Every structure is written in C-alpha cells, then in structure tokens.
Amino acid sequence: MFREFRAAAVLLLVLTIVTGIAYPLVVTGIAQVAFPARANGSLIESGGKPVQDGARVPVDGARAPVDGARAPVDGARAVGSELIGQPFADPKHFWSRPSATSPYPYNASSSSGSNQGPLNPALTDAVKARIKTLRDADPGNTAPVPADLVTASASGLDPHISPAAAEYQLARVAKARRIDAEKVRALLTQTTEGRQFGFLGEPRVNVLRLNLALDQLR
C-alpha cells in the first residue's frame, strides 16, 4: 500500500512541476520572444502604434478600465486593445458596433450576445432606439443604416465595423470636426483592413485605430 502511495505522490509532484510550472514558463517565454505584442494583449498606444505593455486609459469619448500596468517609457499610454471594442459617443468620433455584454458594454470578462431572437420585441425596440440615436446625431443623413451599427455581435466585443458603417458616419464626423469629408475618407481608406490571407472574412475597420488616427489629423 505504501508503495502505491509513494508512486502516486511522486507522479503528482512530477506532473505538478511539468504541467504547472515548466510548461507555462516555456509557453510564456516562447510567446514573449516570438510575438510579444500579441502575447501582452495586442495593446494600442495613444498614437495608434501597438505596444507590449501599458496602462489602459480612456481616450475622449471612450471607456477603458485602468489595469495598473506600467506605461511605455516614451510617455505614450495604451488606450485599449485592437481585439476588444470600446464605446464612443462623441460625434467627432466614429461609433463602434453595439455591445450586449453586462453590466456594461464591451466587458471583456463577460463576453456574450443579447440572446434575443428576431421575433423578440426587446430586440426590435433596441434596434429602433439605435437607429433614432444615429439619425438624431446626423439629421441630414437619409442613407440606410448598416446592420452592424444597430445590432450587437455574438461576443459583444467586436472592435471592427464594416466599411459601409464607417462611410455612413463619415459626413457627421467631418462636419463635427469642421474638416473636408474627402480628408476623412482618405484616412478611412488607409485604415481599412482587407480580407485575411486575401479570401477569409470581409473588409473591416478597427474603430479605435481609426479614431486615434483621426485625432492626430491636422
């Protein structure tokens, strides 16, 4: 009996060291060397550049919780992740896709959709309210509202909108900033991401990156 107990204890100790200490350290080390920016959350600096670490702080019109990490040495601050959406309410910014996470939108610790079906009146009311908000912000815009501006994604964390959704907001942003619409459109074209590997997914626009680039526009 003691022999079996000793074998079990030795096996437990070995597996604890291998799988609980050695393996995590090796995987973390490889990730930090091979792709440090992604391993540290794909963070974005206030200047729009990716960083490896830094405290998340809000940009104008956005909500981003501070996590206590240190800021980059050059003084730039990380304002979010290119993988997690943020809400924007300022007319001078492009607005993100709606989020149904709780207790607040874009809660990365509670990824979820609304689970509301097409026949649910609550979904209909939510879509109507979102359309009204967009129309009120840009009364002269009579174009059809793109679906991704009034419906939440399954994760509730989508950082992208479609080029059509960005184009719909372009005139409002240009007017609010008092700059030429073509200047904003050129920036939108520059920040539009193509299909992955040329054939996967659809073209998309990272809202945080676009707004940070817009804030640097002169």
Side-chain angles (χ1 to χ4, degrees):
M1 180 177 177
F2 177 76
R3 181 180 301 175
E4 286 79 4
F5 175 79
R6 183 176 63 180
V10 171
L11 182 61
L12 174 62
L13 179 61
V14 171
L15 289 177
T16 298
I17 294 174
V18 172
T19 63
I21 299 176
Y23 177 75
L25 287 176
V26 170
V27 171
T28 300
I30 293 174
Q32 292 295 332
V33 172
F35 32 83
R38 294 184 181 181
N40 287 290
S42 300
L43 300 180
I44 301 175
E45 287 183 4
S46 55
K49 300 178 181 178
V51 295
Q52 295 184 22
D53 63 341
R56 292 186 62 201
V57 296
V59 294
D60 183 22
R63 175 179 183 174
V66 175
D67 63 6
R70 66 185 184 277
V73 294
D74 61 0
R77 301 295 298 276
V79 293
S81 169
E82 63 182 24
L83 304 177
I84 306 296
Q86 293 185 22
F88 291 87
D90 191 332
K92 295 181 179 180
H93 284 131
F94 286 86
W95 296 351
S96 305
R97 186 171 187 176
S99 170
T101 63
S102 62
Y104 55 85
Y106 306 98
N107 180 5
S109 64
S110 181
S111 175
S112 64
S114 66
N115 292 324
Q116 295 172 343
L119 299 181
N120 191 323
L123 177 61
T124 302
D125 292 342
V127 170
K128 288 180 178 179
R130 291 163 184 162
I131 292 175
K132 184 178 185 303
T133 299
L134 289 165
R135 295 294 193 196
D136 290 346
D138 190 10
N141 191 345
T142 59
V145 179
D148 54 325
L149 285 180
V150 294
T151 55
S153 64
S155 69
L157 306 176
D158 197 340
H160 299 97
I161 57 176
S162 65
E167 179 68 30
Y168 178 85
Q169 303 179 70
L170 191 148
R172 184 203 72 224
V173 172
K175 182 179 179 180
R177 290 179 176 266
R178 298 181 180 180
I179 57 178
D180 184 68
E182 289 306 315
K183 199 171 183 179
V184 180
R185 182 171 285 108
L187 186 62
L188 172 59
T189 301
Q190 294 173 14
T191 54
T192 298
E193 304 171 21
R195 292 179 173 87
Q196 190 170 20
F197 306 124
F199 64 94
L200 292 178
E202 295 293 333
R204 59 206 181 276
V205 180
N206 188 292
V207 180
L208 178 58
R209 283 194 178 279
L210 175 59
N211 284 332
L212 290 173
L214 192 62
D215 287 340
Q216 292 183 324
L217 199 61
R218 294 292 184 269

